[in-house]
Amino acid sequence: MTVASRVSPIDPKKLLQREFSAAGLKPKDAFQTLPEWWEEAVAHPSGVFEVRGFVAKHFGLEIGPDGRLRQRHMPHACFKTRTGTDISEIVSARALATAVAKVVASATTVSWSGSLPSAATLRATAITHGNTPWVGLDDLLDACWSNGVPVVYMPSLPVTKSKMEGMVTFCGGRPVILVTKKATAPAWMLFVLAHEMGHIAEGHLDQCEGEAIVDEKVSEGDTDTDDQEKAANTYALQLLTGGKKGNISLKHPMPPAELGRTAVEFGFKVGIDPGHVILNAASNSVFNGKHPFPLANAALKHIGENVPTADMCREAMRRNIDMDALSDDSLEFLERIGLL
């Protein structure tokens, strides 16, 4: 008598883990963003399909003919990458960021104004209505959201390959800016956000659903860039510095507190955010063969940059989206990935 062997069914969690990895996601991080019901759901045969549907919507994937998760074909994007970087390395990050942008755009309360004002106009408005003679991160966030441009700060994308520092995409009838550069201190986000605003203001982004400009690296000092990148940098510098020329550098290292005081005095004198002054000085100074960024980070703590970037961005989002317009799953997702 022949006894038929039994094939053990694949554990649903392991099955999803394989699919996450194949789609470029970090399984451990991806599982942490799933809604509370997912573990109970996969205990039933149809539950895996329900979880796949959630992931496809919120991570920018699709369900293939075999019923499994896979990368989705994305609309055209203009990738600004460093020499030697394969665009395929950033695909997963772009897809996830686009999916998040769609969710946020769907609940944004202010309509898209159709354009961002000139850098000079935004700078004058910020300084006139603000408490300082410079443009800070709170000013940039207010300028974007008040013109119907959501700003999404996602420094920890759960992807296995490379990610970009900044991106702007057109979703739900509006541009959405996404910054993924890790920036504990607001000063680190200033130039990246202003650069992405430049892409919008200069008309670089096609207003077609899903179109995107993906900046792997955003740097004030980049000179070997295309015309769009140069224009976005010019816009950012006009907005942050009033178009003042020249780079700041340090003649010698100094204690963090002294550097902070010097930057604040200089900032009040010339109308530039002291945090930007500190980072500019660090990027243009070299001691013992290295840029003094540890010194810069220590100095930032002495100038009142005590509110983390993530907190500022979360507060701005809470003020400008209608949470009741989101499904319970989407709202929980935004909370789990740290946006709310």
Side-chain angles (χ1 to χ4, degrees), residues 195-328:
H195 178 94
E196 300 307 326
M197 293 171 67
H199 280 311
I200 297 172
E202 298 297 331
H204 299 162
L205 180 69
D206 289 336
Q207 298 195 15
C208 300
E209 189 69 20
E211 291 284 332
I213 297 174
V214 184
D215 288 310
E216 182 195 9
K217 180 76 173 177
V218 178
S219 174
E220 178 182 340
D222 277 352
T223 56
D224 186 21
T225 56
D226 62 32
D227 289 342
Q228 286 190 348
E229 290 300 282
K230 290 177 181 177
N233 274 1
T234 298
Y235 181 94
L237 289 173
Q238 176 69 38
L239 179 55
L240 298 178
T241 72
K244 295 179 177 64
K245 302 293 183 181
N247 293 320
I248 306 162
S249 62
L250 302 175
K251 294 181 179 179
H252 54 79
M254 60 180 68
E258 182 182 349
L259 176 56
R261 287 194 301 272
T262 302
V264 170
E265 292 172 1
F266 186 82
F268 271 105
K269 180 179 178 180
V270 301
I272 302 176
D273 182 281
H276 183 77
V277 171
I278 290 171
L279 294 180
N280 185 279
S283 66
N284 291 295
S285 305
V286 178
F287 302 119
N288 297 321
K290 296 181 180 180
H291 295 289
F293 285 115
L295 168 61
N297 284 326
L300 289 175
K301 297 178 181 179
H302 288 274
I303 63 171
E305 293 227 342
N306 300 319
V307 180
T309 302
D311 289 351
M312 294 180 68
C313 293
R314 273 193 291 267
E315 179 57 32
M317 185 174 290
R318 291 191 191 107
R319 292 196 307 266
N320 289 284
I321 68 169
D322 178 7
M323 296 189 190
D324 292 334
L326 297 169
S327 67
D328 291 341

Side-chain angles (χ1 to χ4, degrees), residues 141-199:
L141 291 171
D142 287 344
C144 288
W145 283 102
S146 65
N147 281 281
V149 179
V151 177
V152 179
Y153 177 58
M154 297 180 66
S156 300
L157 290 177
V159 294
T160 57
K161 296 184 179 180
S162 300
K163 66 183 183 71
M164 56 283 175
E165 288 190 346
M167 167 178 158
V168 57
T169 185
F170 198 82
C171 293
R174 68 176 73 239
V176 180
I177 293 174
L178 300 105
V179 176
T180 63
K181 179 183 178 71
K182 288 189 177 181
T184 303
W188 279 104
M189 185 175 171
L190 263 180
F191 191 80
V192 179
L193 178 52
H195 178 94
E196 300 307 326
M197 293 171 67
H199 280 311

